Amino acid sequence: MVATAATSSFFPVTSSPDSSDSKNKKLGSGSTNLGGIKSKPSASSGSLQVKANAQTSPKINGTTVVTSPVEGFKNEDGAGSPHPRTFINQLPDWSMLLAAITTIFLAAEKQWMMLDWKPRRPDMLIDPFGIGRIVQDGLVFRQNFSIRSYEIGADRTASIETLMNHLQETAINHCKSAGLLGEGFGATPEMCKKNLIWVVTRMQVVFDRYPTWGDVVQVDTCVSASGKNGMRRDWLVSDSKTGEVLTRASSVWVMMNKLTRRLSKIPEEVRGEIEPYFMNSDPVVAEDSRKLVKLDKSMAEHVRKGLTPRWSDLDVNQHVNNVKYIGWILESAPLPVLETHELSSMTLEYRRECGRESILQSLTTVSDSSVGDLVNVGEIECQHLLQLEEGSEIVRGRTQWRPKYAKSFGNVGQIPAESA
């Protein structure tokens, strides 16, 4: 019936006795004949005659197979009306296929950009993992650092603590890369067996220029012998892009027993571990042989009291990190000096360590008496002392300061407009 209605909508037909009799037949029987439906006669001799024959359902292995009524429609030539399904007409819509391919490629490109495997410009090349590498016949360790936004100060340059932390980090990584890092922090395996650790006794640093946010600095470090029971470590910090020297530092280290907290000689077993890495070279900073003055409260012009270590100031050896001492020393520097000058060099002597419960004082005196008129003052030298409240010395120091912007503007008193 559905086939008949569909055909009639396109081709008008007339009823015949055969068709009316066929209505009395039961649908689905094998003798049902729908062949009586014919198209209405037309004046044209080429009129189209359509027949709808219901074929007897074929049987396969005795089972009747029901076929769709549409399959029974044939034209006068006996050909089936629906075209056979081929490979071509079974393909998907090409526009949809193209859209799917485009989506896949865009997603792959996005993932590639996120991985950031693109080649970098020479000025962007830094150590991706921050580990560094050994160069110059295995005697020099080199590591790059990028100056972060949170590592710069009010002058828009890297802070003193940031630069000193770079030095300390390369020293530890040097030991690690050389295979000399035992269970302790910077201690060799033989040092760990004997409960020995390294402590710094003297340090000299010269700041030629301060890096700023986004700069990549290259830090080279090496070690040499210093007397019979000491080791000297030097650092050379430069701009990784231009090679300009930014900072030079030299330090002397000795061994201390971490249980008794007393200094110790270098055992032969330890000497055998470290001597192959000693470099026969002169210090990168000429030694300042001038004696550091001991200050007392009567001599000090500026005193900062009540300084106490925090838990975060301690290292794994349970003593205050030596970088923290530098921050405490500068706590008592007069504010006019900090505002108009920048630190150009410092010499420090570490006398003893302090613990968690220590309360310290920072004392500073300015060598130049004309501090009140800093616009007309060139280089300034300060003497420093960090001590416990009861008087025991922790660190003696001497710092030198140069006028800010002196290199860029010639006139000491001239300050850039954006910084004024």
Side-chain angles (χ1 to χ4, degrees), residues 198-210:
W198 290 109
V199 292
V200 60
T201 60
R202 184 180 177 89
M203 178 172 286
Q204 287 183 249
V205 187
V206 176
F207 302 97
D208 295 311
R209 183 176 70 82
Y210 287 86

Side-chain angles (χ1 to χ4, degrees), residues 45-117:
S45 58
S47 60
L48 177 65
Q49 183 179 8
V50 179
K51 297 181 181 179
N53 295 324
Q55 302 292 336
T56 303
S57 300
K59 293 184 178 182
I60 299 178
N61 296 331
T63 303
T64 302
V65 179
V66 180
T67 59
S68 172
V70 178
E71 297 177 358
F73 286 107
K74 294 183 179 181
N75 56 21
E76 288 184 335
D77 296 333
S81 58
H83 295 286
R85 298 180 65 83
T86 63
F87 172 77
I88 298 299
N89 61 27
Q90 292 185 43
L91 287 176
D93 189 345
W94 289 107
S95 61
M96 297 179 61
L97 182 61
L98 181 60
I101 295 175
T102 303
T103 302
I104 293 174
F105 273 97
L106 289 176
E109 182 182 10
K110 183 177 181 180
Q111 291 296 323
W112 182 269
M113 297 292 289
M114 291 176 63
L115 290 175
D116 199 18
W117 285 350

Side-chain angles (χ1 to χ4, degrees), residues 331-392:
E331 283 285 339
S332 59
L335 183 59
V337 173
L338 299 176
E339 291 177 337
T340 60
H341 288 65
E342 65 182 8
L343 185 63
S344 59
S345 67
M346 65 179 177
T347 302
L348 304 175
E349 286 184 358
Y350 293 86
R351 297 304 181 98
R352 59 173 295 175
E353 61 179 349
C354 67
R356 259 180 67 187
E357 306 300 328
S358 302
I359 302 177
L360 301 93
Q361 296 177 342
S362 177
L363 289 69
T364 297
T365 182
V366 182
S367 301
D368 198 318
S369 59
S370 59
V371 177
D373 186 18
L374 287 175
V375 176
N376 298 318
V377 173
E379 296 283 341
I380 294 178
E381 184 175 281
C382 297
Q383 304 292 333
H384 305 273
L385 175 64
L386 186 66
Q387 65 179 14
L388 298 177
E389 276 195 338
E390 44 88 5
S392 299

Side-chain angles (χ1 to χ4, degrees), residues 52-248:
N53 295 324
Q55 302 292 336
T56 303
S57 300
K59 293 184 178 182
I60 299 178
N61 296 331
T63 303
T64 302
V65 179
V66 180
T67 59
S68 172
V70 178
E71 297 177 358
F73 286 107
K74 294 183 179 181
N75 56 21
E76 288 184 335
D77 296 333
S81 58
H83 295 286
R85 298 180 65 83
T86 63
F87 172 77
I88 298 299
N89 61 27
Q90 292 185 43
L91 287 176
D93 189 345
W94 289 107
S95 61
M96 297 179 61
L97 182 61
L98 181 60
I101 295 175
T102 303
T103 302
I104 293 174
F105 273 97
L106 289 176
E109 182 182 10
K110 183 177 181 180
Q111 291 296 323
W112 182 269
M113 297 292 289
M114 291 176 63
L115 290 175
D116 199 18
W117 285 350
K118 299 181 297 181
R120 296 176 179 267
R121 302 191 308 270
D123 61 316
M124 298 173 64
L125 290 175
I126 61 174
D127 183 5
F129 303 102
I131 298 175
R133 62 190 185 278
I134 300 235
V135 297
Q136 295 187 19
D137 299 328
L139 299 178
V140 176
F141 180 77
R142 175 172 296 168
Q143 185 171 357
N144 290 348
F145 296 92
S146 178
I147 304 301
R148 313 295 182 181
S149 60
Y150 52 82
E151 295 175 330
I152 62 175
D155 297 327
R156 304 182 182 181
T157 57
S159 64
I160 301 297
E161 289 81 1
T162 295
L163 301 178
M164 299 305 295
N165 282 329
H166 290 169
L167 305 187
Q168 181 169 281
E169 181 69 8
T170 52
I172 298 298
N173 288 337
H174 186 191
C175 296
K176 181 178 180 180
S177 298
L180 295 178
L181 193 63
E183 297 177 357
F185 193 62
T188 67
E190 287 296 331
M191 290 175 63
C192 293
K193 293 179 183 179
K194 301 179 183 301
N195 295 315
L196 297 175
I197 59 175
W198 290 109
V199 292
V200 60
T201 60
R202 184 180 177 89
M203 178 172 286
Q204 287 183 249
V205 187
V206 176
F207 302 97
D208 295 311
R209 183 176 70 82
Y210 287 86
T212 187
W213 175 36
D215 289 348
V216 178
V217 297
Q218 175 181 290
V219 184
D220 290 356
T221 183
C222 63
V223 291
S224 305
S226 177
K228 294 182 179 180
N229 292 296
M231 180 184 72
R232 190 186 81 238
R233 178 173 287 278
D234 293 333
W235 292 273
L236 187 65
V237 183
S238 59
D239 189 307
S240 65
K241 182 178 179 180
T242 64
E244 176 190 1
V245 175
L246 305 178
T247 303
R248 294 165 289 145

